[in-house]
């Protein structure tokens, strides 16, 4: 589901970028470590701050990234131009990822899956495109936040079949993504999960 105008304002500003760079990325690095180079995928890249983080903080050699919203992809293209062919961007859907099986060493999700009605299909797709032993780094937004009356009034989210930390952990395991580290903040949560090495 696309973001409405209010959520775009919340996402496309320097405060959001600082939180993503200095809090979310740091927590995920502390939980899962960095990559030893290699290929990464970011689902729901928004305006591209996450892709920059994956290159600069996680040490990926290249990042492929997509978003459902063509407007966000255009913003990401402008931000990430300086990385040349280390970054490839497209408009796409996390429930039908345009990549071959076992392509990526790591997949990243900075607060995207809670926007997807059939979010379990997205987890199956992440599993499909990860190489054996590849890692899934993510932070997600839980039902408790989405259902808050103020949030409901301001933002658009799918309302059916949302999740909390336990339910999300179970769904990761169900999709073949073994949870190695996780952190539950109540309204939000962080995970590093790994696909079996085969
Ligand atoms: C809350 S924003 C997060 C954006 C960015 N990851 C960040 O942290 O700033 C959610 C993003 O997910 C995208 N999105 C929603 N459904 C999607 C889907 N099915 N596949 C890919 N991206 C999706 C939205 O367009 C939006 O850019």
């Amino acid at each position: 589901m696309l973001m409405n105008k209010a959520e775009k304002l919340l996402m496309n500003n320097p405060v959001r970028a600082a939180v993503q760079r200095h809090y979310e990325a740091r927590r995920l690095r502390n939980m899962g470590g960095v990559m030893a180079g290699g290929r990464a995928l970011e689902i729901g890249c928004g305006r591209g701050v996450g892709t920059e983080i994956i290159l600069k903080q996680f040490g990926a050699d290249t990042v492929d990234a997509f978003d459902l919203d063509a407007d966000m992809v255009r913003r990401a293209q402008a931000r990430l131009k300086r990385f040349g062919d280390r970054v490839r961007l497209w408009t796409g859907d996390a429930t039908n990822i345009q990549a071959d099986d076992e392509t990526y060493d790591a997949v990243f999700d900075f607060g995207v899956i809670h926007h997807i009605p059939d979010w379990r299909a997205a987890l199956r797709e992440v599993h499909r495109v990860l190489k054996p032993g590849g890692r899934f780094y993510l932070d997600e937004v839980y039902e408790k936040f989405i259902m808050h009356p103020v949030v409901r009034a301001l933002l658009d989210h799918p309302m059916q079949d949302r999740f909390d930390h336990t339910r999300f952990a179970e769904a990761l395991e169900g999709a073949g993504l073994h949870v190695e580290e996780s952190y539950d903040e109540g309204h939000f949560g962080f995970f590093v999960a790994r696909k079996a090495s085969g």
Side-chain angles (χ1 to χ4, degrees):
M1 178 182 282
L2 298 182
M3 294 188 287
N4 66 12
K5 277 190 188 157
E7 193 167 7
K8 279 199 176 180
L9 283 175
L10 282 176
M11 288 294 116
N12 298 333
N13 68 75
V15 175
R16 163 70 194 141
V19 169
Q20 199 174 355
R21 288 191 183 109
H22 302 297
Y23 176 65
E24 295 174 28
R26 183 181 301 171
R27 182 171 287 287
L28 287 172
R29 272 201 334 269
N30 288 341
M31 287 166 61
V34 297
M35 298 173 63
R39 290 188 73 177
L41 173 73
E42 185 186 8
I43 63 171
C45 60
R47 66 185 185 129
V49 174
T51 296
E52 204 178 76
I53 288 169
I54 298 162
L55 291 166
K56 288 172 144 179
Q57 296 194 29
F58 285 86
D61 290 326
T62 62
V63 184
D64 290 352
F66 64 88
D67 197 284
L68 191 63
D69 186 339
D71 169 51
M72 297 305 282
V73 173
R74 275 192 293 277
R75 292 172 194 246
Q77 277 162 342
R79 167 180 297 280
L80 299 165
K81 207 180 287 176
R82 68 185 186 280
F83 292 105
D85 61 10
R86 292 182 70 200
V87 173
R88 201 166 61 89
L89 291 160
W90 68 91
T91 303
D93 186 339
T95 63
N96 181 23
I97 299 175
Q98 302 304 299
D100 291 337
D101 298 356
E102 302 186 359
T103 298
Y104 296 105
D105 299 287
V107 176
F108 289 79
D109 154 23
F110 292 99
V112 176
I113 283 179
H114 70 285
H115 262 271
I116 303 179
D118 188 2
W119 53 278
R120 289 184 182 81
L123 296 185
R124 288 193 294 274
E125 279 291 89
V126 169
H127 178 269
R128 181 182 68 75
V129 301
L130 270 175
K131 292 178 184 172
R135 273 174 299 174
F136 186 26
Y137 295 83
L138 69 107
D139 55 68
E140 265 311 328
V141 178
Y142 295 149
E143 187 165 33
K144 194 170 169 185
F145 180 83
I146 290 171
M147 297 302 175
H148 189 282
V150 175
V151 175
R152 286 182 74 152
L154 284 177
L155 309 181
D156 291 339
H157 290 112
M159 301 305 267
Q160 307 301 317
D161 186 30
R162 297 301 88 191
F163 45 81
D164 62 10
H165 195 78
T166 304
R167 206 145 170 246
F168 199 76
E170 286 167 2
L172 283 168
E173 296 282 352
L177 296 161
H178 175 60
V179 176
E180 292 191 329
E181 295 284 341
S182 81
Y183 179 74
D184 183 5
E185 277 191 349
H187 292 84
F188 310 97
F190 295 75
F191 287 91
V192 178
R194 193 184 287 272
K195 178 170 170 172
S197 24

